[in-house]
Amino acid sequence: MTKGECSMLYSRTEYAQKKKPSPWILDSGASNHITSDLQHLCNVTDVSGCPVGLLNGHTAISTKEGKVKLSDNLNIEHVLYVPQFKCNLISISQLSYDSNYSVQFTDDLCAIEDRTSKMLIGSGERRNELYLFREAPSNKVCKVEGMNELEV
């Protein structure tokens, strides 16, 4: 991995060892992407005291932000580091504004698509009244040279 390159959040080894990774919640009410785990971030930079409201009514101040690679097709930038926070949030507002993605919700699912190609790049599954991010399955296409007609 080169400097500035993000690794995916959860390796196959973590899943194989049955470690339960912290879920990322797709939140239509959040103003910013937020994580409480500094290890999720790459390209970390200092920010000038960004206030973040906590569930208990208090305010925490974020002084760092970075980039998170959620999957091969989905990177989120300007993710605030807030150690007092108890979960990881993907802000739908920030996701739509910062990137070329659109997000659509149904009663049980949400889809994150590239606006131009309409390719599904991520999704959310509703669990306990929250939409939890999950990576979109990747499909590979292989081009075969020298075949001009269908052979059965």
Side-chain angles (χ1 to χ4, degrees):
M1 186 163 52
T2 62
K3 184 177 176 158
E5 183 180 346
C6 286
S7 63
M8 285 190 26
L9 277 181
Y10 314 117
S11 67
R12 294 193 199 301
T13 307
E14 285 178 300
Y15 285 110
Q17 294 173 348
K18 299 187 178 173
K19 290 183 183 176
K20 192 168 187 173
S22 300
W24 282 80
I25 299 168
L26 292 153
D27 190 341
S28 61
S31 300
N32 299 91
H33 307 308
I34 298 172
T35 186
S36 61
D37 189 346
L38 195 56
Q39 292 181 345
H40 286 327
L41 298 175
C42 63
N43 298 344
V44 178
T45 59
D46 293 330
V47 294
S48 58
C50 182
V52 176
L54 303 175
L55 291 175
N56 63 8
H58 293 93
T59 301
I61 303 297
S62 174
T63 58
K64 296 191 181 304
E65 74 171 18
K67 178 178 173 181
V68 174
K69 183 172 184 175
L70 292 171
S71 70
D72 284 336
N73 296 318
L74 182 57
N75 296 309
I76 55 176
E77 299 196 29
H78 310 292
V79 180
L80 297 177
Y81 169 62
V82 182
Q84 302 90 331
F85 223 72
K86 301 298 180 204
C87 58
N88 301 309
L89 294 182
I90 300 170
S91 164
I92 299 303
S93 173
Q94 187 177 353
L95 187 67
S96 298
Y97 182 79
D98 284 350
S99 58
N100 194 32
Y101 304 139
S102 65
V103 182
Q104 298 178 10
F105 288 89
T106 68
D107 56 346
D108 288 329
L109 296 171
C110 107
I112 304 169
E113 296 178 335
D114 181 278
R115 281 189 200 139
T116 306
S117 70
K118 301 296 183 198
M119 184 175 97
L120 181 68
I121 56 173
S123 64
E125 181 178 12
R126 187 173 179 218
R127 290 192 203 148
N128 300 325
E129 308 304 318
L130 298 172
Y131 289 87
L132 304 180
F133 173 80
R134 66 179 183 194
E135 185 177 352
S138 62
N139 296 319
K140 307 270 189 232
V141 176
C142 181
K143 181 179 179 183
V144 178
E145 296 291 331
M147 294 188 76
N148 294 329
E149 58 187 65
L150 180 64
E151 294 180 12
V152 181

